[in-house]
Amino acid sequence: MIPMIYWHPILAAAVLRVLRGLPALHLVGWLADAPIPNPLFPLAIVVAGGGGDATTITQFFKNLYDNGIKPVAYAVALFFFAWGAIGLMFPHERSQDHAKAALYRALGGLALVLLATAISSIINNAAP
């Protein structure tokens, strides 16, 4: 269920002043409902009963992980894998040891990302 967002009374009054004489009666109907102020969006008011559902919270965190955290983790693992591969090309033994350690750490980070995906899917399937 998508929460219905209404205009803040100050903003609606300003719009009514600008649209004076035009059919703007639907704005007055929006202001009749009891508003709940949203601290993140002070000019928008959310109607009581909209949002707060457990499925929307679950979907939010799923989208956050799928579209935000996972691509960044893959990019970081790829960057450090490339860093280690480039470091492996230098002839010094010490730099090659550091490069091998960077490769192992990059592969370990990639394994953690894949393991987090598996664990989150197991938890999601176990607790619907």
Side-chain angles (χ1 to χ4, degrees), residues 23-60:
L25 294 177
H26 60 281
L27 291 177
V28 176
W30 287 353
L31 294 175
D33 295 329
I36 297 175
N38 186 346
L40 297 177
F41 302 104
L43 294 179
I45 295 176
V46 179
V47 176
D53 195 9
T55 58
T56 59
I57 294 171
T58 305
Q59 189 64 35
F60 168 75

Side-chain angles (χ1 to χ4, degrees), residues 29-123:
W30 287 353
L31 294 175
D33 295 329
I36 297 175
N38 186 346
L40 297 177
F41 302 104
L43 294 179
I45 295 176
V46 179
V47 176
D53 195 9
T55 58
T56 59
I57 294 171
T58 305
Q59 189 64 35
F60 168 75
F61 282 110
K62 185 176 184 317
N63 289 340
L64 178 68
Y65 178 72
D66 289 339
N67 300 328
I69 296 173
K70 194 188 314 186
V72 170
Y74 285 144
V76 169
L78 178 67
F79 172 77
F80 282 107
F81 187 83
W83 184 281
I86 291 171
L88 202 57
M89 294 181 206
F90 291 113
H92 301 292
E93 183 179 341
R94 186 174 178 134
S95 66
Q96 286 185 348
D97 290 339
H98 286 290
K100 288 177 187 176
L103 285 172
Y104 289 135
R105 290 184 190 123
L107 291 176
L110 182 64
L112 286 176
V113 173
L114 295 174
L115 187 63
T117 304
I119 289 173
S120 68
S121 67
I122 289 170
I123 291 173

